[in-house]
Structures are given as structure tokens and as C-alpha cells.
Amino acid sequence: MLRTMLDEDGLDDIEVAMDTRFTDDLELESIDLVTLAGTLQDRYGQEVNFAEFVADLELDEIIGLTVGQLVEYIVRCLGAAEVRAAEGS
């Protein structure tokens, strides 16, 4: 999803790794993060709430947010959703 977003912005030559920072390395602005949030919502539904995740961070943490931190958050959310689904069965 992130690669598609970067390609659309003409940033297809940027390497993305777990320690890549959204603001400093990818030069994403707040509107880009809103777009990313929407993309995550479309893909995962309510299971992954990027806005809620960011709301719990301080400004300097948002500025320093890495791809790895977002990946870890998504994995936690999806894992919790699987547990809830298994408990409901």
C-alpha cells in the first residue's frame, strides 16, 4: 500500500525498510498520512484504526514514526482480531 502511494507521488525510487521514517525519509505530509489511514481502513476495516494509533502518540513520536512501528501496530491489531474471532466461535 505504501509503495503504491509513493509511486503515485513519483517517489518510486525510494527504498522502504522497517526503520524508514514517514516524515523525514519519505517526506510524507499530514495529508499523506490521512490518505494512508484511509487506505488502511479500506484494506482492514475497523480492525486497524490508524487515527486511533496516532492519537496516542506525542507530536515528536508522530514526526519520528517509522514503517516498522506501523507494521507492528497492524500485526497487533490483526492478531487481536483473530483472537476475538476465535473466542466468538
Side-chain angles (χ1 to χ4, degrees), residues 24-83:
D24 293 340
D25 300 325
L26 301 179
E27 299 179 7
L28 297 184
E29 298 180 8
S30 58
I31 190 67
D32 298 314
L33 294 178
V34 170
T35 301
L36 179 59
T39 303
L40 291 169
Q41 182 85 31
D42 291 344
R43 171 86 183 241
Y44 300 112
Q46 293 297 332
E47 301 302 332
V48 177
N49 188 332
F50 183 73
E52 183 178 275
F53 172 61
V54 172
D56 288 338
L57 301 176
E58 298 291 328
L59 180 59
D60 60 333
E61 292 173 312
I62 295 169
I63 292 169
L65 186 66
T66 66
V67 171
Q69 289 172 297
L70 179 57
V71 168
E72 290 171 6
Y73 171 72
I74 293 169
V75 168
R76 276 195 316 271
C77 289
L78 296 178
E82 286 181 16
V83 168

Side-chain angles (χ1 to χ4, degrees), residues 2-14 26 28:
L2 185 56
R3 175 57 56 203
T4 300
M5 211 172 111
L6 292 172
D7 290 348
E8 289 173 0
D9 290 341
L11 302 173
D12 55 344
D13 60 341
I14 293 179
L26 301 179
L28 297 184

